[in-house]
Amino acid sequence: CLGGCRDNKNRIREFSEAEFLEMSIAGFLVGMGKGSYFGFSNMQDKDDPYAMGGWYDSSWKYYSQYDQLRTGKPEGPAEMGADKMFFRRTFKNGNVSLDCRT
């Protein structure tokens, strides 16, 4: 989606790396389970000498958000909106939501 995703009116919606990272973290937190791990790589990494599509070491940056998020344990499974496009999960230290309608 860094190159653009389609919105609900079939228009191209482009995301910055920061926006895409935030959306990816939210999606992970909403759906994660025991033993889940998160990683975010650059699938178009120009420094990847083997063109491995985001799997080479240089494609994996460390983001400050990894140290800033302190959700605590989930207090239950995610809740899904009636339209199946909005998700919310409650954690010990706050809530995470993901709105796929926008």
Side-chain angles (χ1 to χ4, degrees), residues 3-36:
C5 296
R6 300 266 174 195
D7 66 14
N8 59 358
K9 294 183 180 166
N10 205 29
R11 297 175 298 206
I12 292 288
R13 166 71 163 96
E14 294 185 11
F15 295 93
S16 68
E17 182 178 19
E19 289 173 314
F20 196 56
L21 175 63
E22 182 178 328
M23 182 176 65
S24 298
I25 290 172
F28 171 79
L29 289 171
V30 164
M32 70 173 210
K34 187 175 181 177
S36 296

Side-chain angles (χ1 to χ4, degrees), residues 7-76:
D7 66 14
N8 59 358
K9 294 183 180 166
N10 205 29
R11 297 175 298 206
I12 292 288
R13 166 71 163 96
E14 294 185 11
F15 295 93
S16 68
E17 182 178 19
E19 289 173 314
F20 196 56
L21 175 63
E22 182 178 328
M23 182 176 65
S24 298
I25 290 172
F28 171 79
L29 289 171
V30 164
M32 70 173 210
K34 187 175 181 177
S36 296
Y37 296 91
F38 179 81
F40 186 81
S41 71
N42 180 355
M43 308 226 18
Q44 291 95 24
D45 185 4
K46 294 179 180 99
D47 295 325
D48 177 351
Y50 303 105
M52 295 177 65
W55 290 104
Y56 190 68
D57 290 347
S58 67
S59 305
W60 297 88
K61 281 177 34 183
Y62 192 85
Y63 295 91
S64 63
Q65 289 89 329
Y66 298 160
D67 294 323
Q68 296 166 355
L69 288 171
R70 298 285 183 246
T71 61
K73 291 184 178 182
E75 298 198 343

Side-chain angles (χ1 to χ4, degrees), residues 68-98:
Q68 296 166 355
L69 288 171
R70 298 285 183 246
T71 61
K73 291 184 178 182
E75 298 198 343
E79 301 167 16
M80 182 171 44
D83 63 0
K84 299 182 180 176
M85 295 293 287
F86 182 83
F87 306 87
R88 177 184 169 101
R89 192 168 192 186
T90 301
F91 291 83
K92 180 180 179 188
N93 299 326
N95 301 308
V96 174
S97 60
L98 179 64

